[in-house]
Amino acid sequence: MSENPEFQLTMPESVAADPEAIEILRMWWSKNEPVMSVKPAFNDPIKFGELLAYAARHMAHGYAVRHGHNEREAYNRILQGLSHVVKADNVRTVAEPILQPKGSA
């Protein structure tokens, strides 16, 4: 996977300094579809919904800063995308096989 350094993500210093921090989700767009690694780390799934809502707000801000979009309009477009997927009846989860480390029997 190669990526323009301009778009590479880095861990925030506040997270690196927090021994209680946990990574919840990694996402990629690959071969024209979303691919992700997830960790259901919360006891209550509502927390993951809240996390997604925060992510949508932050992404709308990112579109405003990086691409000059109106932040409110970008947020509404993100919500439209969420709504399309929530309403779709053809969305499915496909788990990739877990690979055994080399040298394991």
Side-chain angles (χ1 to χ4, degrees):
M1 177 177 86
S2 65
E3 188 171 6
N4 183 330
E6 172 187 12
F7 298 112
Q8 289 181 353
L9 301 174
T10 58
M11 182 184 299
E13 289 181 26
S14 62
V15 172
D18 180 2
E20 302 286 318
I22 54 172
E23 186 173 31
I24 306 291
L25 173 71
R26 288 186 185 192
M27 299 177 77
W28 299 266
W29 191 257
S30 175
K31 299 180 182 175
N32 208 30
E33 65 182 7
V35 179
M36 58 199 78
S37 292
V38 300
K39 182 187 299 176
F42 301 117
N43 290 329
D44 186 345
I46 198 169
K47 297 304 284 178
F48 187 70
E50 292 170 357
L51 180 75
L52 292 175
Y54 279 111
R57 290 268 184 206
H58 288 292
M59 188 60 79
H61 179 75
Y63 273 100
V65 170
R66 183 173 293 261
H67 300 291
H69 289 235
N70 173 287
E71 189 168 335
R72 185 50 141 175
E73 290 174 10
Y75 180 67
N76 286 332
R77 292 288 291 158
I78 290 167
L79 294 180
Q80 278 182 305
L82 284 168
S83 180
H84 291 156
V85 173
V86 167
K87 292 175 185 176
D89 62 358
N90 63 344
V91 176
R92 62 190 191 356
T93 299
V94 178
E96 292 187 5
I98 298 172
L99 299 176
Q100 296 296 321
K102 292 183 180 185
S104 296

